[in-house]
Amino acid sequence: MGLRLTKNLYDGFIAEGTVLVSFTRGDDRDCKAVDHALTELTRRLPDVPIGVVNVDVDRDLAVQHRIRSLPSVVLYIDGQQKGLLAGRVSSDRLEHWVCERLDPPRLPTTL
């Protein structure tokens, strides 16, 4: 679904452009649902790369970025955090959330 991010890759991944980072846990049902929504989002917004942090492996990244609940999706534009969405979310809601935060805002593919 996305690039697996580690401590060594994280800062470089978020540094330029618009990217999403998903903080997830492999055995969680809500995390799997958001993973599915992000997979669908890659078809709708192919120009927005997605990185994935498995908190079971890289817990320090979740602590460092103040992730308090799972799943969480963070939007970065040129290294600056522009939003955080926590909890189970549909692909439509996720797309709308991303599109309204882009500069300039973009209409989602689903209205």
Side-chain angles (χ1 to χ4, degrees):
M1 179 229 3
L3 174 66
R4 185 178 176 287
L5 297 177
T6 62
K7 189 183 233 182
N8 294 336
L9 297 174
Y10 195 93
D11 289 340
F13 181 77
I14 68 167
E16 291 185 30
T18 301
V19 300
L20 290 172
V21 177
S22 172
F23 288 85
T24 188
R25 167 177 280 133
D27 61 347
D28 183 87
R29 191 173 4 163
D30 289 338
C31 290
K32 288 179 182 179
V34 169
D35 288 348
H36 177 74
L38 286 166
T39 298
E40 176 63 27
L41 190 68
T42 61
R43 288 190 279 275
R44 297 179 188 184
L45 300 174
D47 58 327
V48 179
I50 298 172
V52 179
V53 175
N54 181 337
V55 298
D56 291 329
V57 177
D58 293 300
R59 186 176 190 283
D60 291 346
L61 277 173
V63 171
Q64 178 183 347
H65 295 280
R66 296 183 177 97
I67 301 301
R68 305 223 188 288
S69 64
L70 296 176
S72 287
V73 178
V74 183
L75 174 68
Y76 290 96
I77 298 177
D78 295 328
Q80 299 297 312
Q81 182 177 325
K82 298 296 182 178
L84 185 145
L85 188 61
R88 190 175 186 154
V89 64
S90 70
S91 57
D92 289 345
R93 173 68 186 114
L94 186 59
E95 181 184 12
H96 283 257
W97 178 79
V98 170
C99 286
E100 64 192 18
R101 284 161 180 76
L102 296 176
D103 187 21
R106 184 187 312 179
L107 286 176
T109 59
T110 58
L111 295 174

